[in-house]
Amino acid sequence: MSPDDLKELRKELACTAKELAVALGIEQATVMAWEKGDLFPTKQFIDQMEALRAKGKSAIPKRARGAAPE
């Protein structure tokens, strides 16, 4: 999955890098590194992202702006 593929996925899911990271159970910095091409996701994460894509926007947990972190 290329950096452009990741950006396209976030666009499809209408989510931020932080929201995608939360959905994948990883740090936002990792998602950002994937998007910059500094790191590349493993098959495990690619499979998880494809599953999120299949579920659509509702697969991404949305946190209310200004809500306290969990």
Side-chain angles (χ1 to χ4, degrees), residues 18-42:
K18 176 72 172 173
E19 289 166 338
L20 180 59
V22 168
L24 295 171
I26 59 174
E27 296 292 323
Q28 178 181 356
T30 303
V31 173
M32 298 305 294
W34 290 345
E35 286 192 4
K36 285 192 269 179
D38 293 339
L39 297 174
F40 293 91
T42 60

Side-chain angles (χ1 to χ4, degrees), residues 8 13 20-21 25 29 35 48 53 61 65:
E8 184 61 31
L13 296 175
L20 180 59
E35 286 192 4
Q48 285 181 295
R53 175 179 270 146
R65 291 201 185 274

